[in-house]
C-alpha cells in the first residue's frame, strides 16, 4: 500500500486541508481527513489536489497544426484543408511518436484520461494496413507510454457530405460501409488503461441509413458513443436540405441519442434540439478553446445542462492543452454572450472536467477522490505567480479561474506518479519529443 498526503484536496463540494489517501492495486482504499502532518513514509503532494482531469475530445494529430493555422484569415472549412495535409503524412510509427508526445503534454497539464476521436484508419488512398487497426493501436501504445488512460473512440467516416463519396484526402478515413467499420472496430479490445468506444464523425459523414449500425455496435458493447454535432451552421443547412430535419432530430430518429452518447460541440441548436438532447440524457462535450480558435461560435451549454445534458470538456484541436482553461472559458464565454456573471460555480466546472468527463469516456470509476475509485489525481500548485494569494478554502476558485496547465505540479494515475514536480517521469523530454515529431511531419 502507498499513502499520499495531500496538503489540500477537493472532496467533491469543498476543499479539505490535510487529507491522506491510501492506495493499493491502482485504487483508493481509504480517504482520511484531519491529517495535519504527513504520516511516516507518505508521499507528500503540496498544493491543491483534485481528481484527474478528463479530456473528453481529442484529435491527437491536430497538435501538429498549432501555430501554423494562425496565419491569415479563413473559416473552419479553410482550416480543414490544412488539417488534411497533415493527416496524409502520418504512418503508424510517426503517429505513435506524435501521440506519445501529445499525451505526455496532456499528462503535464493534469489530464489522466483522454477520449481520442480516431478516424485516421488506413494508409493514404484508403488501403488498409496489414493490421487494419495499426493506427488505433499506435494511439493506444502512445497513451500507455505517456501513462494516461485512453478511450479510443473509433470513428465511422464514410462520406464527404450528404450523398457524396469521400474526397481524396478522406479515403484513409473510410471503411466503405458501417458494417465494414463495425467489423474492423470489433477487433479492438478493452484492456488495462484502455476502453474502446465508437464515434459517428458527423451526420454529413455517415449516411442516415447507416447511423443505426454504429449506434447498435455501441449499445451491444455498452460502450461510449460520440458524435460531432451541429458544429457549423453549414452542416445544419445541408442536413435540412437532405432530410428536412436538424442533425439532432436525425440522430434521434436513428437511435443514436442516449445516456452513453455525447454530442461534441452542440453549438448551433434549436430549442427543440436542446430539449431532445436533454430528455435523452445525451451528454455535451464543450471545447471552448477550439470553438473560439475556429470561429465556430458559443454553444448553449447552460440551456443544455438545464435540459438534462451532462457537460464534459475537451481540447479537440489542441490550440492549447489546458483543461482548466477549457473550464473557465465555458463560463467566461457565457458572460460575454449574456452580460451576466456566475453561470457555473467552480465546483460545477471542476465536475465537468473530472467526474462527468470520465463518465462520458466510460470510466465511471474515476473522477472522484473516494474509496474504491481509481487512484488518478492531479495536484495544482498554490504558490505560483498565478495562484499565490487567496486563502486555501478558495482553492477551487483559484484553480479554475487563475491556474493554468503550467501550474500542475504532480499527477498520479493508477497509484503511480507520472508527473513529479512538473516533470514527466517517463517522457522527461516531452517538449523535444513534440518538436521532433512535428518537424518530421513538416519535412
Amino acid at each position: 500500500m502507498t499513502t499520499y498526503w495531500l496538503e489540500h484536496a477537493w472532496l467533491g463540494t469543498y476543499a479539505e486541508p490535510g487529507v491522506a489517501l491510501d492506495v493499493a492495486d491502482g485504487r483508493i482504499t481509504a480517504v482520511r481527513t484531519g491529517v495535519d502532518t504527513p504520516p511516516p513514509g507518505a508521499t507528500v503532494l503540496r498544493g491543491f489536489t483534485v481528481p484527474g482531469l478528463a479530456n473528453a475530445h481529442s484529435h491527437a494529430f491536430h497538435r501538429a497544426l498549432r501555430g501554423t493555422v494562425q496565419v491569415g484569415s479563413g473559416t473552419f472549412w479553410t482550416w480543414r484543408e490544412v488539417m488534411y495535409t497533415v493527416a496524409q503524412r502520418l504512418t503508424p510509427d510517426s503517429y505513435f511518436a506524435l501521440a506519445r508526445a501529445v499525451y505526455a503534454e496532456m499528462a503535464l497539464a493534469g489530464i489522466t484520461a483522454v477520449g481520442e476521436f480516431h478516424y485516421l484508419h488506413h494508409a493514404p488512398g484508403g488501403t488498409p494496413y496489414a493490421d487494419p487497426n495499426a493506427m488505433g493501436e499506435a494511439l493506444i501504445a502512445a497513451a500507455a507510454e505517456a501513462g494516461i488512460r485512453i478511450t479510443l473512440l473509433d470513428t465511422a467516416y464514410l462520406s464527404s457530405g450528404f450523398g457524396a463519396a469521400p474526397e481524396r484526402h478522406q479515403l484513409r478515413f473510410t471503411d466503405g460501409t458501417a458494417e465494414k467499420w463495425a467489423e474492423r472496430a470489433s477487433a479492438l479490445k478493452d484492456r488495462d488503461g484502455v476502453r474502446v468506444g465508437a464515434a459517428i464523425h458527423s451526420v454529413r459523414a455517415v449516411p442516415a441509413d447507416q447511423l443505426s449500425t454504429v449506434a447498435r455496435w455501441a449499445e451491444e458493447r455498452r460502450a461510449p458513443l460520440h458524435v460531432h454535432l451541429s458544429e457549423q451552421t453549414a452542416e445544419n443547412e445541408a442536413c435540412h436540405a437532405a432530410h428536412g430535419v436538424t442533425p439532432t432530430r436525425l440522430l434521434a430518429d436513428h437511435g443514436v441519442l442516449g445516456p452513453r452518447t455525447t454530442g461534441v460541440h452542440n453549438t448551433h441548436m434549436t430549442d427543440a434540439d436542446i430539449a431532445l438532447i436533454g430528455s435523452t440524457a445525451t451528454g455535451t462535450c464543450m471545447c471552448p478553446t477550439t470553438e473560439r480558435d475556429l470561429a465556430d461560435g458559443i454553444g448553449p451549454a447552460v440551456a443544455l445542462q438545464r435540459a438534462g445534458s451532462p457537460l464534459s470538456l475537451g481540447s479537440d484541436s489542441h490550440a492549447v492543452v489546458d483543461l482548466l482553461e477549457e473550464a473557465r472559458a465555458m463560463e467566461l464565454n457565457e458572460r460575454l454572450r449574456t452580460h451576466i456573471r456566475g453561470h457555473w460555480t467552480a465546483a460545477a466546472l471542476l465536475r465537468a472536467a473530472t467526474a462527468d468527463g470520465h463518465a462520458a469516456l466510460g470510466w465511471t470509476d474515476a473522477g472522484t477522490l473516494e474509496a474504491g475509485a481509481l487512484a488518478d489525481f492531479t495536484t495544482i500548485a498554490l504558490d505560483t505567480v498565478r495562484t499565490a494569494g487567496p486563502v486555501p478554502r478558495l482553492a477551487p476558485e483559484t484553480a479554475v479561474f487563475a491556474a493554468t496547465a503550467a501550474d500542475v505540479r504532480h499527477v498520479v494515475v493508477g497509484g503511480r506518479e507520472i508527473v513529479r514536480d512538473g516533470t514527466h517521469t517517463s517522457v522527461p523530454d516531452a517538449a523535444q519529443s513534440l518538436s521532433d515529431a512535428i518537424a518530421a511531419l513538416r519535412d
Side-chain angles (χ1 to χ4, degrees):
M1 183 184 76
T2 301
T3 297
Y4 288 92
W5 182 79
L6 318 180
E7 185 179 27
H8 303 280
W10 177 245
L11 298 183
T13 56
Y14 60 97
E16 176 78 12
V19 175
L21 298 183
D22 296 330
V23 173
D25 298 323
R27 292 186 179 271
I28 299 170
T29 58
V31 179
R32 294 179 281 134
T33 58
V35 184
D36 296 333
T37 58
T43 299
V44 175
L45 302 182
R46 295 201 178 273
F48 178 50
T49 299
V50 301
L53 306 178
N55 186 354
H57 190 66
S58 162
H59 301 289
F61 76 92
H62 289 189
R63 175 62 178 82
L65 298 171
R66 186 184 296 177
T68 65
V69 291
Q70 307 304 329
V71 179
S73 60
T75 66
F76 167 86
W77 306 102
T78 52
W79 168 89
R80 190 177 71 157
E81 293 304 312
V82 180
M83 179 268 288
Y84 284 156
T85 65
V86 173
Q88 288 300 100
R89 297 172 184 163
L90 287 160
T91 66
D93 287 344
S94 63
Y95 206 5
F96 166 80
L98 176 61
R100 173 181 177 269
V102 174
Y103 296 153
E105 180 183 6
M106 290 185 192
L108 289 164
I111 293 163
T112 58
V114 61
E116 185 62 38
F117 200 100
H118 167 56
Y119 55 83
L120 194 56
H121 301 307
H122 307 299
T127 302
Y129 291 102
D131 174 0
N133 287 305
M135 295 294 268
E137 292 291 352
L139 292 166
I140 289 170
E145 288 217 5
I148 68 174
R149 303 183 193 277
I150 185 171
T151 297
L152 187 73
L153 297 161
D154 197 279
T155 304
Y157 194 131
L158 308 175
S159 63
S160 63
F162 297 96
E167 297 175 357
R168 177 175 59 89
H169 290 311
Q170 298 164 335
L171 290 174
R172 69 182 310 188
F173 306 164
T174 182
D175 292 292
T177 67
E179 288 76 14
K180 290 181 180 178
W181 165 83
E183 181 181 354
R184 180 187 51 73
S186 293
L188 292 161
K189 304 298 181 185
D190 289 358
R191 64 204 82 162
D192 186 35
V194 179
R195 296 283 184 273
V196 177
I200 292 165
H201 180 273
S202 57
V203 293
R204 69 178 184 273
V206 177
D209 61 359
Q210 299 186 60
L211 292 169
S212 61
T213 299
V214 184
R216 186 166 56 251
W217 187 94
E219 176 65 25
E220 289 171 353
R221 289 159 180 76
R222 305 193 69 77
L225 173 60
H226 288 214
V227 54
H228 290 135
L229 182 54
S230 288
E231 181 179 4
Q232 297 290 323
T233 55
E235 175 186 298
N236 290 0
E237 293 161 0
C239 184
H240 200 277
H243 298 289
V245 295
T246 66
T248 301
R249 180 74 260 177
L250 188 68
L251 294 176
D253 289 346
H254 290 274
V256 175
L257 303 185
R260 279 194 304 280
T261 299
T262 297
V264 181
H265 304 302
N266 293 1
T267 306
H268 302 285
M269 311 210 103
T270 66
D271 290 345
D273 290 339
I274 293 169
L276 263 177
I277 295 289
S279 66
T280 56
T282 299
T284 296
C285 180
M286 303 298 291
C287 306
T289 64
T290 291
E291 288 151 5
R292 72 191 183 199
D293 182 63
L294 297 181
D296 286 345
I298 299 171
V302 171
L304 283 160
Q305 187 174 53
R306 286 175 178 167
S309 179
L311 300 180
S312 55
L313 297 164
S315 64
D316 193 0
S317 70
H318 315 312
V320 297
V321 173
D322 189 337
L323 261 286
L324 300 173
E325 171 62 20
E326 303 293 346
R328 71 171 153 265
M330 189 163 67
E331 163 66 23
L332 298 181
N333 283 352
E334 275 298 307
R335 294 183 185 185
L336 287 174
R337 190 177 68 83
T338 64
H339 303 172
I340 298 171
R341 303 175 78 234
H343 301 275
W344 291 278
T345 63
L349 294 170
L350 278 174
R351 181 174 179 84
T354 57
D356 287 346
H358 280 95
L361 298 177
W363 297 98
T364 55
D365 51 354
T368 60
L369 298 181
E370 59 185 30
L374 291 168
D376 300 354
F377 38 92
T378 292
T379 303
I380 300 162
L382 295 177
D383 58 359
T384 72
V385 291
R386 288 167 294 278
T387 61
V391 295
R393 66 180 176 81
L394 296 179
E397 286 73 17
T398 302
V400 171
F401 291 105
T404 73
D407 298 310
V408 170
R409 182 169 284 167
H410 313 297
V411 180
V412 174
V413 178
R416 180 174 67 91
E417 284 188 285
I418 62 168
V419 174
R420 181 72 192 181
D421 294 323
T423 299
H424 200 292
T425 58
S426 61
V427 191
D429 58 343
Q432 188 61 52
S433 295
L434 277 167
S435 295
D436 292 345
I438 293 169
L441 293 176
R442 290 178 179 166
D443 292 342

